[in-house]
Amino acid sequence: MKFSPEKLKIKDQRMKPFIDADEIWEIINQTGSTPDRVREVIAKSLDKNRLTLAETAVLIKADDPALIEEIKQGARTLKEKVYGQRIVLFAPLYIGNRCTNNCAYCGFKASNKSIKRVTLDHDDLVAQVRALEDAGHKRLILVYGEHPEYDAKFIAESVRTVYSVKSGPGEIRRVNINAAPLDIDGFRIVKDAKIGTYQIFQETYYEETYSKVHLSGMKRNFDWRLTSLDRAQEAGIDDVGIGALFGLYDWRFEVLALVRHTNHFEAVYNVGPHTISFPRIQYASQLNLDKSYIVSDSEFTRLVAILRLAVPYTGLILTARETAAIRDEIMQFGVSQIDGGTNIEMGGYSKKKETEEQDIDLEQFQINDNRSLNQIMEELIEKKYIPSFCTACYRLGRTGEHFMEFSVPGFIKRFCQPNAIITLVEYLEDYAPAETKQKGYKLVQEKLSEIEDITFKNQLIEKITQIKTGARDLYY
Ligand code: SAM
Ligand code: SF4
């Protein structure tokens, strides 16, 4: 079915598709890339400006290893200059793997008869959320297959259930969603359940490839998916997450298309996407794909550095699809969120781990970072990152937080960094084993000693003391 605004009774012109593949290829093909030009473009980004498509293409076309290293160094400098050492942690929670689509890359595809189909019922869901809270999580992303059973009401209901579960001092303070596109009314229903971000990945922005890998089901409709987050915006959800599944088509095209998608939101809604994700294809049950566009590790790290420079004020999400080593490198480019202690097996969080092996018949794809949340916390602390569970902006209605971090002078020092410290102290008090606790407090002391404003520092020390004596959920 070809998308038609008239047929769907969408009079709003903003719902029109906005990706022109010929235009994107023309920009890539016609852009040259001299060392001087690459340096100019990096400098523009370091001056806190989003890059145009043509400028992003300059970085994409830089093939010389020394220039690629300069691009990566540019991304590292941007991170140090703007974002500091915080990194936000979350966990994905799979709610149901029933699916009516046939996406060639996904283990949940309808034609895969070897996978066990599971939808968490209320009690299962509560058990999963308890297990996540008991590990220390405060932020979740709920993930669903595309199926009539998982309609807007079902999604909203599961969000409400998640918020209602309290295990000891644990609670989930922000629930994000990764699910199929909805219509505007559907997005409104989900918004009313107080979701954080609604994520929908276009997978590939190249329509011809899109048609080849989406073999049947509603997801075949490229334009319905492309305009989905516009409908979310119309419904009042202004925190939206975009993404491309790298490995389906030429990575250079996908990077420019992600920048194009960002421009579209800025032009129409005056706010860019909250986050960009860049999943890379992993092994899945009955994976059936053309391997021509598989993205190597070196291309992958390079493309993330380019994205960082192209959209300097958008949050970047890096998941456990990638190995710890790749995650370590990419985090230096200013990734804002990573998942920790990830288990994408249906019902996996509350199960006792008898084996380290993953059950590919219960999972959408294989993950490559199996570290527990605490292991990740400890490693982050050792590397001087401040692991954060902060949800303050969302709770206080400060939408566009990444933009504020980026553009409001002192925002990170006054809000993000102290909130990261406060949520870290909560974790250290409630969940950390003795060794992590000791390392964590050492880092907290170091960070406190760096604060120059004495009044502010004393206020923060007061908040930390309150947490140590039982207060929770304090923030700026
Ligand atoms: N069913 C919904 C959809 O397709 O949008 C929701 C989520 S789907 C479970 C989440 C994302 O996982 C997809 O958008 C896709 O980008 C990614 N994914 C699917 N198969 C994958 C694979 N084999 N390796 C890595 N990521 C994959
Ligand atoms: Fe279903 Fe999403 Fe997997 Fe496609 S990617 S088969 S829609 S769960």
Side-chain angles (χ1 to χ4, degrees), residues 105 143-144 178 201 203 219 225 280 282 321 364:
Y105 44 82
V143 187
Y144 308 74
N178 185 319
F201 306 154
E203 320 296 12
K219 197 164 166 180
R225 196 166 177 94
R280 186 162 60 141
Q282 307 298 326
R321 289 176 179 87
Q364 190 194 8

Side-chain angles (χ1 to χ4, degrees), residues 417-473:
Q417 182 124 330
N419 285 335
I421 293 175
I422 290 169
T423 55
L424 172 60
V425 170
E426 278 191 341
Y427 177 85
L428 298 177
E429 287 298 311
D430 293 336
Y431 304 103
E435 205 182 321
T436 317
K437 196 166 173 177
Q438 185 242 326
K439 289 179 186 168
Y441 273 121
K442 189 165 165 262
L443 179 73
V444 170
Q445 284 311 327
E446 278 171 31
K447 294 294 158 193
L448 284 173
S449 68
E450 288 166 12
I451 300 176
E452 286 160 8
D453 179 338
I454 300 294
T455 317
F456 187 72
K457 180 162 141 180
N458 287 339
Q459 271 176 10
L460 181 55
I461 293 174
E462 171 58 26
K463 281 202 162 52
I464 293 174
T465 311
Q466 285 174 14
I467 291 171
K468 285 182 171 173
T469 51
R472 290 291 172 271
D473 203 14

Side-chain angles (χ1 to χ4, degrees), residues 99 101-103 105-110 144-146 203 219 364:
C99 195
N101 291 323
N102 269 304
C103 308
Y105 44 82
C106 179
F108 292 168
K109 60 167 112 27
Y144 308 74
E146 181 158 355
E203 320 296 12
K219 197 164 166 180
Q364 190 194 8

Side-chain angles (χ1 to χ4, degrees), residues 88-93 128-141 162 165-175 327 338-343 349 371-377 380 387-391 423 426-427 430-432:
V88 169
L89 286 145
F90 70 96
L93 172 57
Q128 296 306 301
V129 177
R130 281 182 168 278
L132 284 156
E133 288 178 358
D134 292 346
H137 279 290
K138 299 282 185 275
R139 306 169 60 112
L140 300 184
I141 179 148
V162 171
V165 178
K166 313 271 176 207
S167 180
E171 60 182 355
I172 299 301
R173 297 176 183 158
R174 177 169 176 140
V175 178
R327 299 231 281 180
I338 61 169
D339 50 349
T342 295
N343 187 328
Y349 288 111
R371 290 174 294 174
S372 68
L373 176 62
N374 193 69
Q375 261 173 304
I376 293 196
M377 296 288 289
L380 290 174
S388 172
F389 295 96
C390 177
T391 51
T423 55
E426 278 191 341
Y427 177 85
D430 293 336
Y431 304 103

